[in-house]
Structures are given as C-alpha cells and as structure tokens.
Amino acid sequence: MASFHGSPLCQACQSLPQGLSTSQAHADLRLLGQHPPSANGAHETQYRCLSCQTHWLLRTNRWGVPEGFRLKPV
C-alpha cells in the first residue's frame, strides 16, 4: 500500500484517478456530507473510504460539472 500523510491507501484509493471529471467513486467510498456552496455556486462533497479511512473531496463547479476527486488536505 502507498502512504499519504502517514496513512496507507488501499488499492481502490490508489487507483482512483484524481482531478478527472469522469471519475466515479469506488465501492468503499461513503458520502460524509457536502460543504455549503461558495459565492460562485461551486461546492465540495466529502467522502471517506471504509477500507483505509482516507478522506476525499469531489468538487462540483458552479455549472454542476464534477471536477474530479482529490485527497482532502490534512
């Protein structure tokens, strides 16, 4: 397993493409909630992997287009 900020990533998280608008959540990602929209209407949805406990953010722009997953900063 690879390590990010001291936490090992499971195989599914390692293979999740980051910043790709067509990325889909893998089977072990669970929705934690959504941050309130910013002034321009963009928002982020937070997920957590049940296998490795990694937190992910999925940003959606003001037009409703997902901008891909990225690791949540620690």
Side-chain angles (χ1 to χ4, degrees), residues 38-74:
S38 64
N40 71 2
H43 65 274
E44 290 182 326
T45 306
Q46 184 174 341
Y47 293 83
R48 180 176 50 92
C49 178
L50 296 177
S51 295
C52 65
Q53 307 305 311
T54 302
H55 287 251
W56 292 90
L57 295 173
L58 176 61
R59 181 175 166 80
T60 303
N61 67 26
R62 63 182 171 179
W63 298 285
V65 178
E67 295 181 345
F69 284 93
R70 63 184 177 95
L71 289 167
K72 182 179 178 185
V74 177

Side-chain angles (χ1 to χ4, degrees), residues 4-62:
F4 183 78
H5 292 281
S7 299
L9 294 175
C10 67
Q11 186 63 37
C13 282
Q14 288 181 40
S15 62
L16 183 65
Q18 294 187 43
L20 196 63
S21 64
T22 57
S23 296
Q24 297 294 315
H26 66 71
D28 286 338
L29 285 184
R30 294 299 180 262
L31 179 67
L32 289 181
Q34 191 175 74
H35 296 278
S38 64
N40 71 2
H43 65 274
E44 290 182 326
T45 306
Q46 184 174 341
Y47 293 83
R48 180 176 50 92
C49 178
L50 296 177
S51 295
C52 65
Q53 307 305 311
T54 302
H55 287 251
W56 292 90
L57 295 173
L58 176 61
R59 181 175 166 80
T60 303
N61 67 26
R62 63 182 171 179

